[in-house]
Amino acid sequence: MDPAERRRAARAARSAARLARRIGAFAARHGGAEGQVAYLGRRGTRIVLVGADGGWGDLVAPSDEVARRAAGQAGLELRESFDGELAAKVVTGPYEWKRMAGIQLGGRGAA
């Protein structure tokens, strides 16, 4: 392995370790967690987290490999897709509903 490849591998390992710590902290706050990874293109890979209590969040990894490595290091169970069963576990509150309604109606934050 040449020096540039070693640096890239070391950077990926550090990134996975950081993400694994954040996944672990999320799981600890929410009584456990499961997730799903979604490729975002050049931006990276999104790790969607759903806590046992319905809390949710996401993280972005620089690559699919790093996302899956981080999930493995954190012991996160990954789903193949964000299906209805996983979505049904997500608890949304007034903030999310108000924000989603604003986007739908062309309000603040609309694209």
Side-chain angles (χ1 to χ4, degrees):
M1 186 181 304
D2 71 12
E5 288 175 357
R6 273 198 298 277
R7 284 192 300 275
R8 279 191 293 275
R11 189 169 33 250
R14 287 190 305 272
S15 182
R18 276 192 304 275
L19 288 166
R21 285 192 298 274
R22 293 180 67 189
I23 292 167
F26 177 90
R29 281 193 312 274
H30 296 280
E34 55 189 308
Q36 189 262 335
V37 294
Y39 178 66
L40 296 174
R42 292 181 120 171
R43 173 87 167 102
T45 298
R46 180 179 187 205
I47 307 168
V48 180
L49 304 168
V50 178
D53 66 355
W56 57 278
D58 67 346
L59 301 166
V60 176
S63 69
D64 189 70
E65 175 192 345
V66 170
R68 291 181 185 281
R69 182 189 294 183
Q73 288 176 0
L76 181 69
E77 177 188 339
L78 288 178
R79 299 280 193 107
E80 285 300 314
S81 65
F82 198 86
D83 58 14
E85 184 181 333
L86 186 58
K89 294 180 180 182
V90 174
V91 175
T92 55
Y95 170 80
E96 289 85 6
W97 284 103
K98 183 177 179 182
R99 178 148 171 79
M100 286 186 281
I103 291 170
Q104 289 293 324
L105 299 175
R108 188 172 160 203

